[in-house]
Amino acid sequence: EGPATNNAANGALDYTHLFSPSLLLETKAGYTYIYNTSFPLNFGTAVNTAFGQPNVNFDALSSGLTPVSVGGGAQNLGDGTSLPIEYIENNFQYQGTVIYTHGKHNVKIGGALIRRQATVLQSTLGRGQWTVASLPQLVQGNFTALQRLNTLVQPHYRTWEPSVFIQDDWQFTSKLTLNLGVRYDSFTPFTAVKNQISNFDPIQQKIIVAGQGGTSNTAGIQTDYSNFAPRVG
């Protein structure tokens, strides 16, 4: 592997307001940024083109030296596979909670919302890969197999995660407190900017593309609304 970058930044705001001795409001907002990259050793250099193979290093993402897998226990050649990788994530999070105390009850009611934005770029074999059976075959300039797996579009994924909850800490006796509550979460399926996302429909037995032919922007994936979580303590 060649150079790699791993950067992250985050920030948060917290505001608390006391309406009365028995009623309190707490709100929070946060942001997290993640940027990870990893490049092959010869990234940016058209190594194969320099050897007279113009159809290999056709752009920056396919630059470098094509890996050669050599059988018979010989050492493999070329740059690593599945590179380069670029991962960018933006997370926006908001949360609010109301706390009400009355007699033996301490009631908390709140909700939260997370917005995730993820951009991922990775090709398994963007500059291709040769497979040769043995070192003598490599010296002869012959190969057993040749393949290329390349990502042509960089997807930009989007998703929402809303949630609400209610909890009552009930001081049932001087020696016993009950924690009773329920939480609900929803995780929306991924969507992509410009609907650049697809899926396989086993009923129609074909690839369906988001936003085309009546397909939803989630490429046919439905939201699961059954995520209720009771709490007893």
Side-chain angles (χ1 to χ4, degrees):
E1 295 184 2
T5 302
N6 187 353
N7 293 332
N10 63 75
L13 296 174
D14 191 333
Y15 173 74
T16 301
H17 185 82
L18 186 65
F19 291 97
S20 70
S22 61
L23 184 61
L24 180 143
L25 170 67
E26 183 177 27
T27 59
K28 298 180 179 181
Y31 169 72
T32 301
Y33 170 76
I34 299 173
Y35 180 73
N36 292 334
T37 61
S38 182
F39 298 96
L41 184 63
N42 294 289
F43 180 74
T45 303
V47 181
N48 287 88
T49 300
F51 281 103
Q53 300 167 336
N55 296 325
V56 179
N57 308 129
F58 57 87
D59 61 9
L61 296 178
S62 61
S63 62
L65 180 60
T66 296
V68 180
S69 177
V70 184
Q75 179 67 42
N76 293 339
L77 306 174
D79 291 333
T81 60
S82 301
L83 295 174
I85 303 171
E86 183 179 52
Y87 179 80
I88 305 171
E89 184 172 339
N90 293 284
N91 293 328
F92 304 87
Q93 186 170 3
Y94 313 94
Q95 179 178 328
T97 304
V98 175
I99 303 174
Y100 177 64
T101 303
H102 180 72
K104 296 183 178 182
H105 296 271
N106 185 33
V107 180
K108 299 179 181 179
I109 302 174
L113 178 65
I114 300 177
R115 173 63 164 172
R116 300 189 189 275
Q117 301 175 343
T119 298
V120 183
L121 178 63
Q122 182 179 20
S123 294
T124 306
L125 298 171
R127 66 192 64 81
Q129 181 183 50
W130 278 280
T131 301
V132 297
S134 62
L135 188 58
Q137 187 183 39
L138 175 65
V139 174
Q140 293 169 5
N142 298 323
F143 61 92
T144 301
L146 173 62
Q147 60 178 323
R148 185 202 296 270
L149 299 173
N150 192 40
T151 300
L152 301 179
V153 176
Q154 185 176 29
H156 304 276
Y157 298 117
R158 303 288 185 265
T159 185
W160 295 95
E161 297 178 17
S163 62
V164 293
F165 75 92
I166 181 171
Q167 178 176 319
D168 183 10
D169 296 327
W170 177 18
Q171 189 178 355
F172 190 69
T173 69
S174 60
K175 297 182 179 180
L176 179 64
T177 299
L178 299 179
N179 308 117
L180 307 174
V182 63
R183 180 182 178 89
Y184 174 74
D185 292 274
S186 178
F187 304 91
T188 65
F190 279 111
T191 60
V193 175
K194 298 181 180 179
N195 286 330
Q196 292 176 326
I197 189 172
S198 61
N199 197 14
F200 177 73
D201 187 337
I203 298 178
Q204 302 183 61
Q205 297 186 358
K206 68 176 184 179
I207 298 294
I208 56 176
V209 181
Q212 296 184 12
T215 303
S216 66
N217 64 346
T218 61
I221 302 299
Q222 303 297 319
T223 302
D224 182 2
Y225 294 104
S226 63
N227 297 306
F228 288 91
R231 176 174 182 175
V232 177

